[in-house]
Amino acid sequence: MSTNLLTETDLSLTETAQGKMAELFTQIEDDVQGVRVYATLGGCSGISFGMSFTDQLNSNDKVLACETFKVIVDDGTMEHLKGVEIDFVDRGNGDASFVFNNLQPVDGAGCGTCGSAGGGCS
């Protein structure tokens, strides 16, 4: 199977995010191929992004090869992540998360039409 490699202009991770991801990879099983970034439709709120460890590479996956791990993104998700930077932010008191910077707006998403006086969600 041939996978397409991503460059840092396609998708990037900050140094902080790479460090946290590398730390997390020391705590998982050896057969894990990488971390999959995925998109799910969120209705009125547009698209939500998430990440999970995966042991699978599919034919439509793109791969960002980092030093000690891979970031895996399918074609459909990559359409929404072009130029995005993934960061890790620790706000203290256990409030830490990966964040997606530079996301592009999605046509037709948002609550301006959903739940407003003239519109609703269907």
Side-chain angles (χ1 to χ4, degrees):
M1 167 188 343
S2 167
T3 57
N4 295 320
L5 294 179
L6 295 171
T7 66
E8 289 199 7
T9 57
D10 296 320
L11 177 67
S12 65
L13 279 76
T14 64
E15 203 171 299
T16 305
Q18 288 184 43
K20 185 61 176 179
M21 195 67 68
E23 176 188 325
L24 292 172
F25 266 85
T26 66
Q27 303 170 15
I28 58 171
E29 299 174 21
D30 290 339
D31 63 343
V32 170
Q33 291 289 320
V35 63
R36 179 172 298 281
V37 179
Y38 59 90
T40 56
L41 296 178
C44 291
S45 56
I47 297 174
S48 297
F49 296 96
M51 297 188 293
S52 64
F53 294 112
T54 185
D55 60 358
Q56 204 170 351
L57 278 173
N58 301 316
S59 61
N60 67 332
D61 286 337
K62 308 261 189 261
V63 176
L64 177 65
C66 296
E67 193 171 312
T68 58
F69 61 90
K70 297 175 194 165
V71 178
I72 302 165
V73 185
D74 65 63
D75 286 339
T77 299
M78 194 60 221
E79 290 177 25
H80 304 290
L81 290 178
K82 190 83 169 160
V84 166
E85 172 191 73
I86 300 174
D87 194 7
F88 182 77
V89 178
D90 187 347
R91 296 167 194 86
N93 298 323
D95 183 16
S97 62
F98 288 95
V99 295
F100 294 75
N101 297 321
N102 306 326
L103 286 171
Q104 300 302 313
V106 178
D107 290 337
C111 289
T113 59
C114 181
S116 64
C121 280
S122 52

